[in-house]
Amino acid sequence: MPEPSSLFLVLDLVGTFAFGLNGALTAVRAVRVDLVGVLTLGMTTALGGGIIRDVLIGSLPPATFSDLKYLGAAAAGALVAFFLSMPLERFTTIIVVFDAVGLSVFCVTGATKALEFGLGGVQAVLLGAVTAVGGGTLRDVLIRRVPAVLVSDLYAVPALVGAAIVVVASYAGLGSLLGVLLASVTCFAIRMLGVVFELQVPSALGRRGTEDDGPEPGGR
Amino acid sequence: MPEPSSLFLVLDLVGTFAFGLNGALTAVRAVRVDLVGVLTLGMTTALGGGIIRDVLIGSLPPATFSDLKYLGAAAAGALVAFFLSMPLERFTTIIVVFDAVGLSVFCVTGATKALEFGLGGVQAVLLGAVTAVGGGTLRDVLIRRVPAVLVSDLYAVPALVGAAIVVVASYAGLGSLLGVLLASVTCFAIRMLGVVFELQVPSALGRRGTEDDGPEPGGR
Amino acid sequence: MPEPSSLFLVLDLVGTFAFGLNGALTAVRAVRVDLVGVLTLGMTTALGGGIIRDVLIGSLPPATFSDLKYLGAAAAGALVAFFLSMPLERFTTIIVVFDAVGLSVFCVTGATKALEFGLGGVQAVLLGAVTAVGGGTLRDVLIRRVPAVLVSDLYAVPALVGAAIVVVASYAGLGSLLGVLLASVTCFAIRMLGVVFELQVPSALGRRGTEDDGPEPGGR
């Protein structure tokens, strides 16, 4: 990523740490995994979205995988989850907030990087969302959950909106800092409103599946 | 893809639309998913195979992801499935036919592109099949089904045969149009014969798994 | 891979064959799959780790996918599993040994190639482990098992140790042959000790998942 401001770097690392923590916690609660498993799942959650984005735009090796800062932040989050999974159950709220920070930062960095690599606006929006939700989706596949993004309360939508704001701001010639701030804050706000009011995306009309074992609300 | 003829472009878009429709329908029937989920699963089914192929041959960003025509056709198919999933249950036959069109076109484009990128014949056959069945396999993983290609009636075989005809025709110096036509028609015919006569690939000798919950016949 | 010695090439092909055999056997035992499925799962197990590594370092098309020797060894292993799955049940020990050979060779080739492509030491260790366990993880996802690497007795740890020895030996300026031998033998020894004494990596403190259906010990 091309010289993000210091504030942005801090937020990005906080988001990576939060995704690593959250991803590992979700894993510990869902499956019997050992230390290697917890680290694998936490780091997959934290780094997977950025890796998928970088593979798709051909920026290899992936930035978040190559940078020791990101590997360290992701591993630290997973280790905290491993050693403190019991006490952490009391702090669900702060984990959800951290996770929303990660979502907001990742959709912005994803869309920004896609634009820098010359992709079109629609693709940049999709890649922003993939960056934000891809890691959690990989983790859910590994622990055999239906991915939260498919069934959960507003999770992909704020990421799509945040990425779209980045693209529109870029096309409108807004300063990149302003666009980034607006996009992150909007994504964060929609996500938190979704959590507080348990907002849902409409489900398919007609027949629905019989599997009703999606992730519990707020459990992500 | 290098200037496919107009007919081929139309077939390719029809195949993409059919895969988007079919992928989303399968998802709606198997899991409780919201609108975002239906779009994600339909587009994954329609574009995933081409994306895997392009990642493997290093042609990044992937063609089907970068081209708005393909993104639009895939999304349109998924949206039709979302809004019409009830009435569509009456049209199973036409959906299976559309799906076979997609299979036939994708195995041909996949093998052709692999040859153009200098891969060997065996690899081109494998990549043709991966292009044809990769998207559906990704979708099945996301909705936690054993991928249809592993257990279903003739699905990968016609794609392998179609891709092999492309490779042989190319080595034999046949005009590319003739090879493409022969390959697509053969793949389509084998697939439809497999559906009509419920042909099966032989299963492993001896012990078989106890999980008997593969996809229902024709449900793919 | 850049001119591995003949011994190393032989070991690499033995490892690929063993992973193809083992991957297909695991699949046959877990799910009802047909011949195409067995080949797909065996080849995924044998080649998947190397493919993920090559995608991540941007070495495309992937070496193990492009080389007919590797495709042939993987397919041969899968075919043996398909036709001999019943009698093979008596040879669990030799299959576990072969699998440990594959693990040892793959973690070494993975780490070596990552270093050659200029990645840092930590990344090379991770990529060595991904090369060794990535294929089996893909297979487990396809047949809907919780990946063995997340829950099983010592499996990722010997691969991480082997890859780390490669990196340390390279930094210490040891001849590459010595480093490779030391790394492979250590990985193999740890893996076999883990099998014999059923060693476990510690699990997360506190709450554990209720799913207790991980792979049976030694079944991988």
Side-chain angles (χ1 to χ4, degrees):
Chain A
M1 269 150 281
E3 309 178 38
S5 68
S6 307
L7 172 65
F8 207 67
L9 176 62
V10 169
L11 283 177
D12 208 8
L13 289 174
V14 168
T16 304
F17 176 85
F19 267 31
L21 177 67
N22 201 344
L25 269 186
T26 309
V28 169
R29 289 175 187 182
V31 206
R32 184 179 49 88
V33 285
D34 60 26
L35 176 55
V36 172
V38 169
L39 275 168
T40 304
L41 291 168
M43 295 178 77
T44 299
T45 309
L47 308 174
I51 287 176
I52 296 174
R53 174 203 61 207
D54 286 351
V55 167
L56 288 180
I57 63 179
S59 167
L60 299 171
T64 47
F65 178 77
S66 300
D67 190 326
L68 284 184
K69 283 197 293 293
Y70 291 98
L71 284 170
L79 285 175
V80 169
F82 183 75
F83 288 111
L84 302 179
S85 67
M86 285 270 281
L88 279 174
E89 299 199 7
R90 276 179 256 146
F91 297 102
T92 302
T93 307
I94 204 166
I95 291 168
V96 169
V97 172
F98 271 1
D99 188 61
V101 170
L103 193 77
S104 310
V105 177
F106 285 8
C107 72
V108 168
T109 54
T112 304
K113 187 161 185 181
L115 288 177
E116 276 160 11
F117 273 71
L119 273 80
V122 173
Q123 286 85 358
V125 171
L126 292 176
L127 280 175
V130 164
T131 307
V133 308
T137 301
L138 281 181
R139 178 209 55 209
D140 287 342
V141 165
L142 287 174
I143 62 173
R144 302 195 306 179
R145 298 204 322 175
V146 173
V149 68
L150 297 180
V151 295
S152 194
D153 41 24
L154 287 186
Y155 199 78
V157 168
L160 287 164
V161 170
I165 292 176
V166 169
V167 171
V168 170
S170 163
Y171 286 181
L174 278 184
S176 83
L177 183 63
L178 187 59
V180 158
L181 276 178
L182 196 61
S184 323
V185 170
T186 308
C187 172
F188 183 80
I190 299 179
R191 173 64 186 147
M192 293 314 296
L193 287 173
V195 169
V196 173
F197 295 106
E198 299 185 7
L199 301 178
Q200 301 282 337
V201 179
S203 286
L205 309 176
R207 221 164 97 186
R208 291 160 194 209
T210 49
E211 285 188 68
D212 207 347
D213 49 2
E216 66 279 19
R220 185 201 159 85
Chain B
M1 269 151 281
E3 310 179 36
S5 68
S6 306
L7 172 66
F8 207 67
L9 176 62
V10 169
L11 283 177
D12 208 9
L13 290 175
V14 168
T16 304
F17 176 85
F19 268 30
L21 176 67
N22 200 345
L25 269 186
T26 309
V28 169
R29 289 174 186 181
V31 206
R32 184 180 48 89
V33 285
D34 61 26
L35 176 55
V36 172
V38 170
L39 276 168
T40 304
L41 292 168
M43 294 178 78
T44 300
T45 308
L47 308 175
I51 288 175
I52 296 174
R53 175 202 60 207
D54 286 352
V55 167
L56 288 180
I57 63 179
S59 166
L60 299 171
T64 47
F65 178 77
S66 299
D67 189 326
L68 285 184
K69 282 197 291 295
Y70 291 98
L71 284 169
L79 286 175
V80 168
F82 182 76
F83 287 112
L84 302 179
S85 67
M86 285 271 279
L88 280 174
E89 300 198 8
R90 276 179 257 145
F91 297 102
T92 303
T93 307
I94 205 167
I95 291 169
V96 170
V97 172
F98 271 3
D99 189 60
V101 170
L103 192 76
S104 311
V105 178
F106 284 9
C107 73
V108 168
T109 54
T112 304
K113 187 161 185 180
L115 288 177
E116 276 161 11
F117 273 72
L119 273 79
V122 173
Q123 286 84 359
V125 172
L126 292 175
L127 280 175
V130 164
T131 308
V133 308
T137 301
L138 281 182
R139 177 210 56 209
D140 286 342
V141 165
L142 288 175
I143 62 173
R144 301 195 307 179
R145 297 206 321 176
V146 173
V149 69
L150 298 180
V151 295
S152 194
D153 41 23
L154 287 186
Y155 199 79
V157 169
L160 287 164
V161 171
I165 292 177
V166 169
V167 171
V168 170
S170 163
Y171 286 180
L174 279 184
S176 83
L177 184 62
L178 187 60
V180 157
L181 276 178
L182 197 61
S184 322
V185 170
T186 308
C187 173
F188 183 81
I190 298 178
R191 172 65 186 147
M192 292 315 295
L193 287 173
V195 170
V196 172
F197 296 106
E198 299 186 6
L199 302 177
Q200 300 283 337
V201 179
S203 285
L205 309 175
R207 220 166 96 189
R208 290 159 194 210
T210 49
E211 285 187 70
D212 206 348
D213 48 2
E216 67 279 18
R220 188 197 159 86
Chain C
M1 269 150 282
E3 311 177 36
S5 69
S6 306
L7 172 66
F8 206 67
L9 176 62
V10 169
L11 283 177
D12 208 8
L13 289 174
V14 168
T16 304
F17 176 85
F19 268 30
L21 176 67
N22 201 345
L25 269 186
T26 311
V28 169
R29 289 174 187 182
V31 207
R32 184 178 50 87
V33 286
D34 60 27
L35 176 55
V36 172
V38 169
L39 276 168
T40 304
L41 291 167
M43 295 178 77
T44 300
T45 309
L47 308 174
I51 288 176
I52 296 174
R53 175 203 60 207
D54 286 351
V55 167
L56 288 180
I57 63 180
S59 167
L60 298 172
T64 47
F65 177 77
S66 298
D67 190 326
L68 284 185
K69 282 196 293 293
Y70 291 97
L71 285 170
L79 285 175
V80 169
F82 183 76
F83 288 111
L84 302 179
S85 67
M86 285 271 281
L88 279 173
E89 300 200 6
R90 276 178 255 145
F91 298 102
T92 304
T93 308
I94 205 167
I95 291 169
V96 169
V97 172
F98 271 0
D99 189 61
V101 170
L103 193 77
S104 310
V105 178
F106 284 9
C107 72
V108 168
T109 54
T112 304
K113 187 162 185 181
L115 288 177
E116 276 161 11
F117 273 72
L119 272 79
V122 174
Q123 286 84 359
V125 172
L126 292 175
L127 280 175
V130 164
T131 307
V133 307
T137 302
L138 280 182
R139 176 208 56 209
D140 287 342
V141 165
L142 288 174
I143 62 173
R144 302 194 308 180
R145 296 205 322 177
V146 173
V149 68
L150 297 179
V151 295
S152 193
D153 41 22
L154 286 188
Y155 199 78
V157 168
L160 287 164
V161 171
I165 292 176
V166 169
V167 171
V168 170
S170 162
Y171 286 180
L174 279 184
S176 83
L177 183 63
L178 188 60
V180 158
L181 275 179
L182 196 62
S184 323
V185 170
T186 309
C187 172
F188 183 80
I190 299 179
R191 172 63 187 147
M192 292 315 294
L193 287 173
V195 170
V196 172
F197 296 107
E198 299 186 5
L199 301 177
Q200 300 283 337
V201 179
S203 286
L205 309 174
R207 222 162 96 186
R208 291 160 195 208
T210 49
E211 287 188 68
D212 208 349
D213 48 1
E216 67 278 22
R220 188 200 158 86

PDB file of all heavy atoms in Angstrom, chain C residues 87-110:
ATOM      1  N   PRO C  87      -7.823 -53.392  -0.154  1.00  0.00           N
ATOM      2  CA  PRO C  87      -6.576 -53.978   0.355  1.00  0.00           C
ATOM      3  C   PRO C  87      -5.676 -52.962   1.055  1.00  0.00           C
ATOM      4  O   PRO C  87      -4.969 -53.322   2.015  1.00  0.00           O
ATOM      5  CB  PRO C  87      -5.894 -54.523  -0.914  1.00  0.00           C
ATOM      6  CG  PRO C  87      -6.782 -54.225  -2.065  1.00  0.00           C
ATOM      7  CD  PRO C  87      -8.058 -53.693  -1.567  1.00  0.00           C
ATOM      8  N   LEU C  88      -5.711 -51.709   0.635  1.00  0.00           N
ATOM      9  CA  LEU C  88      -4.808 -50.720   1.230  1.00  0.00           C
ATOM     10  C   LEU C  88      -5.086 -50.492   2.705  1.00  0.00           C
ATOM     11  O   LEU C  88      -4.248 -49.971   3.431  1.00  0.00           O
ATOM     12  CB  LEU C  88      -4.896 -49.391   0.483  1.00  0.00           C
ATOM     13  CG  LEU C  88      -4.088 -49.325  -0.815  1.00  0.00           C
ATOM     14  CD1 LEU C  88      -4.382 -48.019  -1.547  1.00  0.00           C
ATOM     15  CD2 LEU C  88      -2.606 -49.431  -0.516  1.00  0.00           C
ATOM     16  N   GLU C  89      -6.291 -50.870   3.160  1.00  0.00           N
ATOM     17  CA  GLU C  89      -6.589 -50.625   4.567  1.00  0.00           C
ATOM     18  C   GLU C  89      -5.630 -51.359   5.486  1.00  0.00           C
ATOM     19  O   GLU C  89      -5.451 -50.989   6.641  1.00  0.00           O
ATOM     20  CB  GLU C  89      -8.037 -51.019   4.875  1.00  0.00           C
ATOM     21  CG  GLU C  89      -8.992 -50.213   4.032  1.00  0.00           C
ATOM     22  CD  GLU C  89     -10.393 -50.189   4.594  1.00  0.00           C
ATOM     23  OE1 GLU C  89     -10.594 -50.707   5.699  1.00  0.00           O
ATOM     24  OE2 GLU C  89     -11.268 -49.630   3.927  1.00  0.00           O
ATOM     25  N   ARG C  90      -5.001 -52.430   4.927  1.00  0.00           N
ATOM     26  CA  ARG C  90      -4.060 -53.179   5.753  1.00  0.00           C
ATOM     27  C   ARG C  90      -2.711 -52.478   5.859  1.00  0.00           C
ATOM     28  O   ARG C  90      -1.895 -52.819   6.696  1.00  0.00           O
ATOM     29  CB  ARG C  90      -3.856 -54.587   5.162  1.00  0.00           C
ATOM     30  CG  ARG C  90      -4.932 -55.559   5.609  1.00  0.00           C
ATOM     31  CD  ARG C  90      -4.728 -56.915   4.968  1.00  0.00           C
ATOM     32  NE  ARG C  90      -5.691 -57.127   3.901  1.00  0.00           N
ATOM     33  CZ  ARG C  90      -5.427 -57.786   2.779  1.00  0.00           C
ATOM     34  NH1 ARG C  90      -4.219 -58.292   2.565  1.00  0.00           N
ATOM     35  NH2 ARG C  90      -6.356 -57.945   1.864  1.00  0.00           N
ATOM     36  N   PHE C  91      -2.468 -51.478   4.998  1.00  0.00           N
ATOM     37  CA  PHE C  91      -1.141 -50.873   4.950  1.00  0.00           C
ATOM     38  C   PHE C  91      -1.109 -49.457   5.520  1.00  0.00           C
ATOM     39  O   PHE C  91      -0.403 -48.597   5.023  1.00  0.00           O
ATOM     40  CB  PHE C  91      -0.633 -50.853   3.512  1.00  0.00           C
ATOM     41  CG  PHE C  91      -0.472 -52.217   2.938  1.00  0.00           C
ATOM     42  CD1 PHE C  91      -1.414 -52.739   2.061  1.00  0.00           C
ATOM     43  CD2 PHE C  91       0.629 -52.992   3.283  1.00  0.00           C
ATOM     44  CE1 PHE C  91      -1.266 -54.007   1.534  1.00  0.00           C
ATOM     45  CE2 PHE C  91       0.784 -54.264   2.750  1.00  0.00           C
ATOM     46  CZ  PHE C  91      -0.167 -54.772   1.876  1.00  0.00           C
ATOM     47  N   THR C  92      -1.899 -49.229   6.572  1.00  0.00           N
ATOM     48  CA  THR C  92      -1.982 -47.891   7.117  1.00  0.00           C
ATOM     49  C   THR C  92      -0.606 -47.358   7.499  1.00  0.00           C
ATOM     50  O   THR C  92      -0.286 -46.196   7.252  1.00  0.00           O
ATOM     51  CB  THR C  92      -2.901 -47.886   8.359  1.00  0.00           C
ATOM     52  OG1 THR C  92      -4.160 -48.401   7.985  1.00  0.00           O
ATOM     53  CG2 THR C  92      -3.054 -46.480   8.893  1.00  0.00           C
ATOM     54  N   THR C  93       0.227 -48.211   8.078  1.00  0.00           N
ATOM     55  CA  THR C  93       1.520 -47.736   8.548  1.00  0.00           C
ATOM     56  C   THR C  93       2.366 -47.187   7.412  1.00  0.00           C
ATOM     57  O   THR C  93       2.897 -46.077   7.491  1.00  0.00           O
ATOM     58  CB  THR C  93       2.299 -48.872   9.241  1.00  0.00           C
ATOM     59  OG1 THR C  93       1.446 -49.440  10.231  1.00  0.00           O
ATOM     60  CG2 THR C  93       3.567 -48.344   9.867  1.00  0.00           C
ATOM     61  N   ILE C  94       2.461 -47.957   6.326  1.00  0.00           N
ATOM     62  CA  ILE C  94       3.322 -47.500   5.238  1.00  0.00           C
ATOM     63  C   ILE C  94       2.778 -46.221   4.618  1.00  0.00           C
ATOM     64  O   ILE C  94       3.529 -45.354   4.163  1.00  0.00           O
ATOM     65  CB  ILE C  94       3.504 -48.623   4.188  1.00  0.00           C
ATOM     66  CG1 ILE C  94       4.814 -48.390   3.439  1.00  0.00           C
ATOM     67  CG2 ILE C  94       2.348 -48.693   3.228  1.00  0.00           C
ATOM     68  CD1 ILE C  94       5.235 -49.588   2.620  1.00  0.00           C
ATOM     69  N   ILE C  95       1.445 -46.068   4.612  1.00  0.00           N
ATOM     70  CA  ILE C  95       0.870 -44.838   4.054  1.00  0.00           C
ATOM     71  C   ILE C  95       1.216 -43.651   4.939  1.00  0.00           C
ATOM     72  O   ILE C  95       1.541 -42.564   4.452  1.00  0.00           O
ATOM     73  CB  ILE C  95      -0.665 -44.993   3.906  1.00  0.00           C
ATOM     74  CG1 ILE C  95      -0.952 -46.014   2.806  1.00  0.00           C
ATOM     75  CG2 ILE C  95      -1.306 -43.667   3.578  1.00  0.00           C
ATOM     76  CD1 ILE C  95      -2.395 -46.445   2.755  1.00  0.00           C
ATOM     77  N   VAL C  96       1.153 -43.841   6.244  1.00  0.00           N
ATOM     78  CA  VAL C  96       1.522 -42.749   7.153  1.00  0.00           C
ATOM     79  C   VAL C  96       2.990 -42.378   6.962  1.00  0.00           C
ATOM     80  O   VAL C  96       3.360 -41.197   6.970  1.00  0.00           O
ATOM     81  CB  VAL C  96       1.243 -43.161   8.616  1.00  0.00           C
ATOM     82  CG1 VAL C  96       1.863 -42.160   9.573  1.00  0.00           C
ATOM     83  CG2 VAL C  96      -0.252 -43.274   8.864  1.00  0.00           C
ATOM     84  N   VAL C  97       3.838 -43.381   6.735  1.00  0.00           N
ATOM     85  CA  VAL C  97       5.258 -43.094   6.511  1.00  0.00           C
ATOM     86  C   VAL C  97       5.455 -42.311   5.213  1.00  0.00           C
ATOM     87  O   VAL C  97       6.151 -41.296   5.169  1.00  0.00           O
ATOM     88  CB  VAL C  97       6.075 -44.404   6.482  1.00  0.00           C
ATOM     89  CG1 VAL C  97       7.513 -44.125   6.060  1.00  0.00           C
ATOM     90  CG2 VAL C  97       6.048 -45.063   7.853  1.00  0.00           C
ATOM     91  N   PHE C  98       4.831 -42.786   4.130  1.00  0.00           N
ATOM     92  CA  PHE C  98       4.899 -42.059   2.856  1.00  0.00           C
ATOM     93  C   PHE C  98       4.435 -40.616   3.029  1.00  0.00           C
ATOM     94  O   PHE C  98       5.025 -39.683   2.507  1.00  0.00           O
ATOM     95  CB  PHE C  98       4.002 -42.740   1.812  1.00  0.00           C
ATOM     96  CG  PHE C  98       4.685 -43.808   1.021  1.00  0.00           C
ATOM     97  CD1 PHE C  98       6.016 -44.128   1.233  1.00  0.00           C
ATOM     98  CD2 PHE C  98       3.993 -44.500   0.046  1.00  0.00           C
ATOM     99  CE1 PHE C  98       6.646 -45.122   0.495  1.00  0.00           C
ATOM    100  CE2 PHE C  98       4.607 -45.491  -0.700  1.00  0.00           C
ATOM    101  CZ  PHE C  98       5.943 -45.795  -0.468  1.00  0.00           C
ATOM    102  N   ASP C  99       3.318 -40.462   3.740  1.00  0.00           N
ATOM    103  CA  ASP C  99       2.768 -39.129   3.938  1.00  0.00           C
ATOM    104  C   ASP C  99       3.775 -38.242   4.665  1.00  0.00           C
ATOM    105  O   ASP C  99       3.938 -37.060   4.335  1.00  0.00           O
ATOM    106  CB  ASP C  99       1.467 -39.224   4.735  1.00  0.00           C
ATOM    107  CG  ASP C  99       0.744 -37.893   4.783  1.00  0.00           C
ATOM    108  OD1 ASP C  99       0.376 -37.382   3.713  1.00  0.00           O
ATOM    109  OD2 ASP C  99       0.588 -37.361   5.894  1.00  0.00           O
ATOM    110  N   ALA C 100       4.478 -38.812   5.644  1.00  0.00           N
ATOM    111  CA  ALA C 100       5.481 -38.039   6.375  1.00  0.00           C
ATOM    112  C   ALA C 100       6.651 -37.665   5.461  1.00  0.00           C
ATOM    113  O   ALA C 100       7.236 -36.587   5.599  1.00  0.00           O
ATOM    114  CB  ALA C 100       5.978 -38.826   7.589  1.00  0.00           C
ATOM    115  N   VAL C 101       6.966 -38.551   4.513  1.00  0.00           N
ATOM    116  CA  VAL C 101       7.991 -38.200   3.522  1.00  0.00           C
ATOM    117  C   VAL C 101       7.536 -36.986   2.705  1.00  0.00           C
ATOM    118  O   VAL C 101       8.284 -36.018   2.513  1.00  0.00           O
ATOM    119  CB  VAL C 101       8.289 -39.396   2.589  1.00  0.00           C
ATOM    120  CG1 VAL C 101       9.160 -38.970   1.412  1.00  0.00           C
ATOM    121  CG2 VAL C 101       8.956 -40.522   3.355  1.00  0.00           C
ATOM    122  N   GLY C 102       6.303 -37.029   2.232  1.00  0.00           N
ATOM    123  CA  GLY C 102       5.775 -35.896   1.469  1.00  0.00           C
ATOM    124  C   GLY C 102       5.821 -34.610   2.279  1.00  0.00           C
ATOM    125  O   GLY C 102       6.261 -33.555   1.793  1.00  0.00           O
ATOM    126  N   LEU C 103       5.370 -34.705   3.538  1.00  0.00           N
ATOM    127  CA  LEU C 103       5.378 -33.531   4.409  1.00  0.00           C
ATOM    128  C   LEU C 103       6.788 -32.955   4.522  1.00  0.00           C
ATOM    129  O   LEU C 103       6.995 -31.735   4.412  1.00  0.00           O
ATOM    130  CB  LEU C 103       4.864 -33.945   5.794  1.00  0.00           C
ATOM    131  CG  LEU C 103       4.496 -32.843   6.772  1.00  0.00           C
ATOM    132  CD1 LEU C 103       3.153 -32.240   6.411  1.00  0.00           C
ATOM    133  CD2 LEU C 103       4.446 -33.371   8.203  1.00  0.00           C
ATOM    134  N   SER C 104       7.767 -33.829   4.723  1.00  0.00           N
ATOM    135  CA  SER C 104       9.145 -33.385   4.928  1.00  0.00           C
ATOM    136  C   SER C 104       9.725 -32.745   3.668  1.00  0.00           C
ATOM    137  O   SER C 104      10.418 -31.725   3.736  1.00  0.00           O
ATOM    138  CB  SER C 104      10.023 -34.568   5.339  1.00  0.00           C
ATOM    139  OG  SER C 104       9.418 -35.277   6.399  1.00  0.00           O
ATOM    140  N   VAL C 105       9.454 -33.352   2.527  1.00  0.00           N
ATOM    141  CA  VAL C 105       9.997 -32.813   1.277  1.00  0.00           C
ATOM    142  C   VAL C 105       9.317 -31.492   0.934  1.00  0.00           C
ATOM    143  O   VAL C 105       9.971 -30.521   0.529  1.00  0.00           O
ATOM    144  CB  VAL C 105       9.814 -33.827   0.136  1.00  0.00           C
ATOM    145  CG1 VAL C 105      10.321 -33.240  -1.164  1.00  0.00           C
ATOM    146  CG2 VAL C 105      10.537 -35.113   0.449  1.00  0.00           C
ATOM    147  N   PHE C 106       8.010 -31.434   1.096  1.00  0.00           N
ATOM    148  CA  PHE C 106       7.271 -30.255   0.663  1.00  0.00           C
ATOM    149  C   PHE C 106       7.591 -29.034   1.528  1.00  0.00           C
ATOM    150  O   PHE C 106       7.649 -27.909   1.027  1.00  0.00           O
ATOM    151  CB  PHE C 106       5.764 -30.534   0.687  1.00  0.00           C
ATOM    152  CG  PHE C 106       5.286 -31.381  -0.454  1.00  0.00           C
ATOM    153  CD1 PHE C 106       6.171 -32.000  -1.324  1.00  0.00           C
ATOM    154  CD2 PHE C 106       3.931 -31.567  -0.679  1.00  0.00           C
ATOM    155  CE1 PHE C 106       5.736 -32.786  -2.377  1.00  0.00           C
ATOM    156  CE2 PHE C 106       3.475 -32.352  -1.735  1.00  0.00           C
ATOM    157  CZ  PHE C 106       4.380 -32.954  -2.575  1.00  0.00           C
ATOM    158  N   CYS C 107       7.765 -29.223   2.848  1.00  0.00           N
ATOM    159  CA  CYS C 107       8.079 -28.040   3.662  1.00  0.00           C
ATOM    160  C   CYS C 107       9.446 -27.483   3.265  1.00  0.00           C
ATOM    161  O   CYS C 107       9.665 -26.267   3.292  1.00  0.00           O
ATOM    162  CB  CYS C 107       7.988 -28.336   5.158  1.00  0.00           C
ATOM    163  SG  CYS C 107       9.314 -29.361   5.819  1.00  0.00           S
ATOM    164  N   VAL C 108      10.354 -28.383   2.860  1.00  0.00           N
ATOM    165  CA  VAL C 108      11.685 -27.933   2.455  1.00  0.00           C
ATOM    166  C   VAL C 108      11.655 -27.231   1.098  1.00  0.00           C
ATOM    167  O   VAL C 108      12.203 -26.138   0.940  1.00  0.00           O
ATOM    168  CB  VAL C 108      12.655 -29.136   2.430  1.00  0.00           C
ATOM    169  CG1 VAL C 108      13.955 -28.773   1.742  1.00  0.00           C
ATOM    170  CG2 VAL C 108      12.920 -29.628   3.841  1.00  0.00           C
ATOM    171  N   THR C 109      10.978 -27.851   0.110  1.00  0.00           N
ATOM    172  CA  THR C 109      10.915 -27.199  -1.203  1.00  0.00           C
ATOM    173  C   THR C 109      10.173 -25.869  -1.118  1.00  0.00           C
ATOM    174  O   THR C 109      10.547 -24.897  -1.772  1.00  0.00           O
ATOM    175  CB  THR C 109      10.201 -28.097  -2.236  1.00  0.00           C
ATOM    176  OG1 THR C 109       8.929 -28.476  -1.719  1.00  0.00           O
ATOM    177  CG2 THR C 109      11.001 -29.346  -2.529  1.00  0.00           C
ATOM    178  N   GLY C 110       9.115 -25.827  -0.293  1.00  0.00           N
ATOM    179  CA  GLY C 110       8.346 -24.595  -0.158  1.00  0.00           C
ATOM    180  C   GLY C 110       9.181 -23.460   0.403  1.00  0.00           C
ATOM    181  O   GLY C 110       9.194 -22.348  -0.138  1.00  0.00           O
TER     182      GLY C 110
END
